[in-house]
Amino acid sequence: MWGIPKPQNAITIAVSSRVLFNMDKEQQIYEQKGMEDYLKYQIEHEMEPFAPGPAFPFVKALEAVNTRLRELYPESEELFDVVLMTNSHAHAGLRLINTINHHQLFIERFCMTGGNSPIGYLKAYHTNLYLSADPMKVREALEEGIAAATMFNPPEKRTEVSETQLRVAFDGDAVLFSDESERIFKAHGLDKFFEHEKTHENTLLDHGPLKGFLESLGKLQKKFYAKDQRLDCPIRTYLVTARSAASSGTRALKTLRSWGLETDEALFLAGAPKGPMLEKIRPHIFFDDQLFHVEGASQLGTVAAHVPYGVAQKLPQQKPAKENTKDFSAATK
């Protein structure tokens, strides 16, 4: 059996049990009947494994990358380490352990917080990314400087994803970058936004909440490049932004370069909907700060996660059906 990397060496991905597995029925019991009935139900059904949830293919892809890393670097602890976070009390954990064994997942670290906040544990594990179904916990993690996103039930017709290559797609503003440009648009409109970006194209954008996670992915990619495996790298990253390349793309690319980061592909959609492009990319996860885009991606089969960060969270979210090029989300996101 492979050793478990120390948290300070690993890239730690903390996932809640409700995004790794489908626990809708159990959650309903908890909300309608309370903790005692919930625990009783879990214990009575502890030999029945949960079905996969929205984060399941992502976690499987992390394990596929680890397999390749161990082949190339048998002694290295620079690996993905998945930590399962759950609100459950410890004696309800047997069903989760049975489910992990049933699905042959390599998850050794559990935090069963018994209803307490997971933030202290996330910090102790040096967490690089936290995925949860609870938007309040995600906001709390972001406020503490931990990369985090809210996941939802998977699309009914989920796009098939690669089992051998991890694909992660990021929005730009308020995800990889700060929400500075978005604030300009909200305050002064589209024309002023384009003017601002042109004037500041050589001024670097500040970092956003998921910059560190892209950095972690890049660090692992370089380990494959060092073994001459760039063309066969099991990690691929994408910038998917509705910024237009000519008027506002320069600043985004210069900022990434200044950080020593790159994405394998950069798609500047100039206001076009993101869903159809994501359908072609087939990422395991797509991060965006606007529910409008998360829902639009999900409708076409992409597992998308919401990053509740920046000025967009203080404004009414639009529905995917109303995507249009006059909205900032279609002009810059």
Side-chain angles (χ1 to χ4, degrees):
M1 183 174 164
W2 294 103
I4 304 165
K6 296 182 185 72
Q8 62 268 32
N9 299 332
I11 293 170
T12 302
I13 312 296
V15 293
S16 78
S17 52
R18 283 172 54 204
V19 299
L20 185 57
F21 303 121
N22 183 335
M23 298 177 66
D24 287 353
K25 185 175 182 180
E26 290 73 15
Q27 184 66 14
Q28 201 172 14
I29 292 169
Y30 172 69
E31 289 172 0
Q32 293 176 359
K33 298 184 177 179
M35 179 61 81
E36 296 310 312
D37 280 37
Y38 168 81
L39 292 174
K40 183 169 177 280
Y41 181 88
Q42 292 284 45
I43 292 165
E44 286 172 354
H45 295 80
E46 67 185 24
M47 298 311 293
E48 296 172 22
F50 294 111
F56 188 91
F58 174 65
V59 168
K60 290 293 280 186
L62 299 178
E63 293 188 352
V65 173
N66 278 355
T67 300
R68 290 277 304 276
L69 282 166
R70 286 187 173 114
E71 289 167 1
L72 294 174
Y73 300 94
E75 304 303 316
S76 176
E77 288 197 338
E78 281 187 286
L79 300 160
F80 291 113
D81 185 21
V82 178
V83 178
L84 187 68
M85 292 281 177
T86 174
N87 262 342
S88 288
H89 286 70
H91 63 264
L94 273 175
R95 190 176 181 195
L96 286 169
I97 293 170
N98 290 336
T99 300
I100 282 167
N101 290 335
H102 171 81
H103 291 294
Q104 297 181 313
L105 294 171
F106 187 78
I107 299 176
E108 296 291 346
R109 299 193 207 272
F110 276 43
C111 281
M112 300 178 192
T113 65
N116 290 333
S117 166
I119 299 300
Y121 300 108
L122 294 174
K123 286 182 167 181
Y125 277 118
H126 305 273
T127 299
N128 298 87
L129 177 68
Y130 172 49
L131 299 173
S132 173
D134 186 335
M136 296 303 291
K137 286 184 184 145
V138 167
R139 285 176 186 273
E140 196 182 345
L142 288 169
E143 284 166 10
E144 292 292 331
I146 298 165
T150 311
M151 297 191 81
F152 308 93
N153 284 337
E156 283 183 27
K157 292 183 179 177
R158 196 189 307 191
T159 303
E160 280 190 31
V161 291
S162 172
E163 292 182 4
T164 56
Q165 184 181 61
L166 170 67
R167 296 179 190 173
V168 183
F170 299 89
D171 176 31
D173 296 279
V175 175
L176 291 179
F177 313 123
S178 73
D179 68 341
E180 171 208 320
S181 299
E182 191 166 352
R183 288 176 183 277
I184 296 293
F185 170 78
K186 298 300 183 192
H188 305 291
L190 194 57
D191 289 344
K192 284 287 185 189
F193 160 74
F194 286 130
E195 187 183 312
H196 177 268
E197 290 302 290
K198 192 69 184 165
T199 306
H200 293 83
E201 69 175 34
N202 292 314
T203 306
L204 303 177
L205 287 156
D206 201 356
H207 67 86
L210 264 69
K211 178 229 178 181
F213 181 53
L214 176 62
E215 211 163 21
S216 298
L217 295 176
K219 192 171 157 189
L220 291 188
Q221 283 180 308
K222 288 187 172 87
K223 293 179 75 99
F224 290 99
Y225 302 165
K227 298 285 188 178
D228 200 27
Q229 295 199 11
R230 182 180 281 267
L231 298 179
D232 189 30
C233 183
I235 303 171
R236 195 164 183 83
T237 55
Y238 305 80
L239 172 64
V240 181
T241 171
R243 281 177 176 257
S244 67
S247 60
S248 53
T250 304
R251 195 177 180 201
L253 292 178
K254 282 184 175 178
T255 297
L256 285 175
R257 184 191 293 169
S258 78
W259 292 341
L261 299 180
E262 59 180 315
T263 55
D264 294 293
E265 298 186 31
L267 304 178
F268 293 93
L269 302 185
K274 297 181 180 182
M277 299 305 291
L278 291 164
E279 196 177 14
K280 301 297 180 200
I281 292 171
R282 298 173 178 259
H284 292 86
I285 193 166
F286 166 59
F287 296 100
D288 202 293
D289 69 304
Q290 300 210 28
L291 283 170
F292 160 77
H293 288 303
V294 169
E295 291 166 3
S298 183
Q299 284 176 0
L300 293 178
T302 296
V303 172
H306 180 232
V307 181
Y309 175 85
V311 70
Q313 311 314 312
K314 303 180 178 90
L315 296 146
Q317 295 281 357
Q318 296 187 42
K319 292 293 176 189
K322 295 185 179 175
E323 286 198 47
N324 65 73
T325 56
K326 296 299 179 190
D327 185 85
F328 175 83
S329 54
T332 64
K333 294 307 296 142

